[in-house]
Amino acid sequence: MEESGENRDLVDSIRLDASTLSPKEANEARATLDKVSLFIEERFGAYMPADAKKRATAASNNLIVVDYTEQLLPVFFPQEFMSQAPPGLEMGFYHNPSRVIVVKNADRAWGDLSSTIKADYISDFSNEQKAKEIFGKYIMLGTLAHELAHAYIDPRLPTPLQELGANYIEDKAAKKFLNGISIVDEDLVGLYDDFLQDYGEDFQKLMFGKR
């Protein structure tokens, strides 16, 4: 499905009503998406059909950053999906039919962390100011990379495989652009690597839909 005028109008309307990004921040986010997209295509492009790259280009144009992603879930997903929604959508999601990426505002995400998780970040990064700064950078790179990865991954795959691939790409992109920092579960990264070792390029073609 190519991006339609109706979809463009919807994205622009939501941005006008709910986006928390300034024009400067929006430009920075788009530059980050371009950087991550180039990284993904250099590393995995050989296993992608042309339509995967078209999906990702459309998704990059349709980034929405809001205080609460939950407020947009009903816009893009039917009620029956909402009752079975996977965890993690509060930080961001990708909607394939609309080619839309929605990500939670980094300052709001930090403020909404539990005191326990926030204390862990502060412990890891010496003080609250530095922890908040690094967390914010991670949201606007790692989370963006995760959701953009969904645009590249074959949408026909079962959800667990799609999430495995998105987590793997998030981990690799975050480590490359954030000085080795990643919050992705190492067991997930290891599982993807195990599949690669067992099935090689066939697994990559499966993930990205090149038949």
Side-chain angles (χ1 to χ4, degrees), residues 37-70:
S37 182
L38 181 62
F39 167 75
I40 293 173
E41 292 186 16
E42 285 180 344
R43 183 154 184 167
F44 303 101
Y47 312 111
M48 297 176 184
D51 63 337
K53 297 178 182 180
K54 289 180 181 179
R55 287 195 304 269
T57 298
S60 294
N61 290 328
N62 290 336
L63 171 66
I64 303 170
V65 178
V66 293
D67 278 338
Y68 294 103
T69 61
E70 297 92 331

Side-chain angles (χ1 to χ4, degrees), residues 69-70 73 77-94 146-147 150 158-164 167:
T69 61
E70 297 92 331
L73 286 172
F77 296 103
Q79 188 60 41
E80 56 267 26
F81 172 87
M82 296 296 298
S83 64
Q84 305 175 40
L89 294 181
E90 71 277 1
M91 298 306 295
F93 63 84
Y94 166 68
H146 182 104
E147 304 310 334
H150 277 296
T159 298
L161 265 183
Q162 292 187 46
E163 286 299 327
L164 179 65
N167 277 295

Side-chain angles (χ1 to χ4, degrees), residues 179-191:
N179 297 318
I181 296 172
S182 173
I183 63 172
V184 176
D185 188 332
E186 292 182 1
D187 288 342
L188 292 176
V189 178
L191 179 59

